[in-house]
Amino acid sequence: MNTTENNTSTAQVHYFLVPSTMSSPMEHQEEIISTTTVQAATNEGFDYSKLIDQFGSEPVQQDLIERFEKLTGKKAHPFLKRGIFFSHRDLHKLLDHYENGKMFYLYTGRGPSSDSMHLGHLVPFMFTKYLQDAFQVPLVIQLTDDEKHLMQELDFQQVRNMMIENVKDIIACGFDMRKTFIFSNFDYMGYLYKTVVQIEKCVTTSQVKGVFGFNDSDNIGKMSFPAIQAAPSFYTSFPHIFSVQQDAFQNLESTMKENNGKNMDSIMCLIPCAIDQDPYFRLTRDVAPKLGFPKPVLVHGKFLPSLQGAKTKMASSDKNSAIFLTDSNAVIASKVAGSFSGGGASKELHEKFGANLKVDVPFKLLEFFLEDDQQLEQVREEYSKGIMLTSQIKKLAFEVVSKLVKEHQERRARITEEELKEFMSVRKLDF
């Protein structure tokens, strides 16, 4: 399989079918990662080192983590140290850019498909908040309400209501209002449109079909949406934020011709996202040089496993697979208690052989959300040796997750309508 980044015309960019390594004579299983489907071959989840090879990205290594700490003067986020954000594209170039006194901004997003976000949705926003705090840079957050209307056939008002509720969850993550702009595609398209059109001119129908698996029976909105998700990667989408670049926005096409495919390196974009979103931005990175922009830089996160096992990720479509940010303590306790365990079938077997941490969901919750590195390593050692019991791990996972959700709910309850409007207002940011 050709996995080079430039191979955006093939379906493999978006849709990976990886043969299972199981030696069982059972039915052949495959791994799927696409923007619509995430499924591992077994409950051990994905081999992320293999995904790096297949996607053609680079691993986040210790030297890169140390450079983060040196440039920001802050400790690396646990998600970096634990390999939860594990892969990147051009992160070294972005840090060079920053070290040379040049600016960048952050871009991430959310597709509103439920009234409440769940823990899996929270992961990229938690990491993005760390990046904003560490680098003190502006952040744009795209709410793809148009995508959900096109892809899931939700009506306008339903999507609108979900979008507003999701924005409250995002604000509750603690972003700096002075440096953060949150926007709905339905509301903001007038500003995006010139950049979107320039991207659309550079992408063929066959490319979109190959990358995203669309066919002739899909609505044309699906075909055009990748350009809309790509557009915030380029600063011309935000003339009110980057006011010094107003002329470039007003005369975008002539600016592209003048640059004649040369990268404008004044403003770069860093995108933290789960790796299933990578196809959108591989396409964007191919388009960027043609339009005279630097390629957006990516840092990829792992999937938070479903409560039923790491074969799939938490999903809004399956209420039993996820812990939602609106769940009560009692609901969280029940969900953690019933989550997939890698512990022994009996106490005797558990104490003899220990737990299989590769499949244990409560331990995965601790890997993501337990803040104390030393405590996590102690749990890892004792649980894998059978010293700690499954009941103890589930109790600890419940305590960690319920505290996280409770604090989030308390912050969310304090959000006013004025704050929500300010976060979503078209305005100059302070940076």
Side-chain angles (χ1 to χ4, degrees):
M1 183 189 338
N2 185 349
T3 59
T4 59
E5 185 178 345
N6 291 331
N7 190 26
T8 52
S9 62
T10 62
Q12 283 86 352
V13 171
H14 171 72
Y15 193 82
F16 283 99
L17 298 178
V18 184
S20 169
T21 57
M22 294 178 64
S23 57
S24 166
M26 295 171 61
E27 180 182 355
H28 181 71
Q29 298 184 59
E30 293 176 318
E31 291 185 348
I32 302 173
I33 294 182
S34 76
T35 55
T36 58
T37 305
V38 172
Q39 182 178 305
T42 73
N43 272 319
E44 289 190 0
F46 292 96
D47 181 340
Y48 287 98
S49 61
K50 183 184 293 184
L51 290 185
I52 288 172
D53 290 338
Q54 292 167 335
F55 278 69
S57 58
E58 298 180 65
V60 173
Q61 296 179 327
Q62 185 60 34
D63 64 325
L64 197 58
I65 297 172
E66 291 172 358
R67 195 169 180 210
F68 261 86
E69 294 182 330
K70 180 180 178 181
L71 288 176
T72 64
K74 296 181 181 295
K75 291 183 177 179
H77 195 281
F79 288 169
L80 273 179
K81 293 187 289 186
R82 297 174 189 175
I84 290 169
F85 275 81
F86 70 101
S87 166
H88 73 95
R89 297 192 189 280
D90 287 345
L91 202 46
H92 287 292
K93 290 183 181 179
L94 182 108
L95 295 181
D96 289 342
H97 183 85
Y98 178 78
E99 192 170 23
N100 289 329
K102 298 176 182 179
M103 74 166 300
F104 73 91
Y105 67 99
L106 295 162
Y107 160 39
T108 193
R110 162 81 185 123
S113 57
S114 60
D115 291 329
S116 170
M117 286 166 44
H118 58 61
L119 289 181
H121 298 142
L122 200 59
V123 170
F125 289 109
M126 291 173 67
F127 188 62
T128 301
K129 182 187 182 315
Y130 153 75
L131 292 171
Q132 184 183 59
D133 292 345
F135 291 98
Q136 290 295 300
V137 292
L139 162 66
V140 297
I141 300 175
Q142 182 184 51
L143 274 294
T144 56
D145 37 16
D146 51 345
E147 178 203 20
K148 296 307 174 186
H149 178 65
L150 290 166
M151 306 291 188
Q152 297 187 10
E153 299 184 0
L154 301 172
D155 65 53
F156 282 102
Q157 193 56 50
Q158 188 178 11
V159 173
R160 180 75 183 180
N161 294 340
M162 289 177 177
M163 184 272 294
I164 293 297
E165 295 306 311
N166 284 192
V167 170
K168 293 176 183 177
D169 277 330
I170 292 168
I171 294 172
C173 293
F175 293 110
D176 185 342
M177 183 192 292
R178 299 168 303 168
K179 294 180 172 64
T180 304
F181 174 51
I182 304 173
F183 63 97
S184 147
N185 280 347
F186 281 143
D187 294 340
Y188 192 69
M189 184 53 70
Y191 292 90
L192 284 178
Y193 192 60
K194 286 186 179 180
T195 309
V196 168
V197 169
Q198 295 302 320
I199 295 167
E200 288 175 334
K201 283 179 68 175
C202 296
V203 181
T204 67
T205 302
S206 62
Q207 280 181 297
V208 174
K209 285 183 176 181
V211 173
F212 298 97
F214 298 144
N215 57 54
D216 290 345
S217 64
D218 283 311
N219 65 64
I220 60 174
K222 292 183 181 182
M223 299 287 185
S224 64
F225 176 75
I228 298 172
Q229 184 156 324
S233 306
F234 305 137
Y235 67 84
T236 48
S237 296
F238 307 101
H240 53 95
I241 297 175
F242 306 110
S243 56
V244 70
Q245 304 297 338
Q246 287 272 15
D247 291 342
F249 179 80
Q250 297 297 337
N251 304 290
L252 182 58
E253 188 164 13
S254 62
T255 300
M256 304 307 177
K257 291 177 181 177
E258 289 170 10
N259 280 279
N260 195 27
K262 296 178 182 178
N263 283 352
M264 297 188 298
D265 64 355
S266 56
I267 302 176
M268 294 184 74
C269 177
L270 172 59
I271 306 171
C273 62
I275 198 164
D276 59 343
Q277 296 300 299
D278 188 68
Y280 287 109
F281 301 114
R282 290 179 79 162
L283 199 64
T284 309
R285 284 168 59 84
D286 274 358
V287 168
K290 301 174 186 177
L291 298 182
F293 291 109
K295 295 181 178 183
V297 177
L298 301 178
V299 57
H300 302 122
K302 293 180 178 179
F303 303 115
L304 185 62
S306 162
L307 295 174
Q308 290 99 341
K311 192 170 184 178
T312 58
K313 64 176 182 176
M314 287 192 179
S316 298
S317 57
D318 183 353
K319 301 299 182 184
N320 295 319
S321 75
I323 294 172
F324 289 84
L325 300 178
T326 50
D327 282 348
S328 66
N329 259 4
V331 170
I332 295 171
S334 175
K335 287 182 174 181
V336 173
S339 62
F340 193 90
S341 172
S346 66
K347 183 179 178 181
E348 291 75 19
L349 290 172
H350 181 78
E351 290 177 342
K352 182 177 181 180
F353 297 110
N356 180 356
L357 303 188
K358 291 182 179 180
V359 304
D360 194 273
V361 171
F363 181 76
K364 296 292 184 185
L365 292 172
L366 295 176
E367 275 193 314
F368 274 78
F369 302 117
L370 180 61
E371 293 182 2
D372 190 323
D373 291 332
Q374 187 173 349
Q375 184 182 7
L376 179 64
E377 290 312 305
Q378 182 179 352
V379 169
R380 186 191 307 276
E381 181 177 358
E382 293 185 0
Y383 191 39
S384 64
K385 293 180 179 178
I387 298 170
M388 288 188 74
L389 302 178
T390 298
S391 59
Q392 294 174 296
I393 295 297
K394 289 188 173 183
K395 180 176 182 294
L396 180 58
F398 162 72
E399 291 171 354
V400 169
V401 169
S402 62
K403 179 177 182 290
L404 176 69
V405 172
K406 179 184 177 183
E407 291 174 352
H408 183 92
Q409 291 172 351
E410 289 172 349
R411 291 191 300 270
R412 191 183 193 280
R414 293 193 293 267
I415 297 169
T416 65
E417 289 300 313
E418 290 73 22
E419 285 179 288
L420 188 145
K421 289 178 182 178
E422 182 67 11
F423 268 102
M424 300 191 74
S425 66
V426 176
R427 68 200 192 283
K428 177 72 177 173
L429 299 184
D430 180 15
F431 59 91

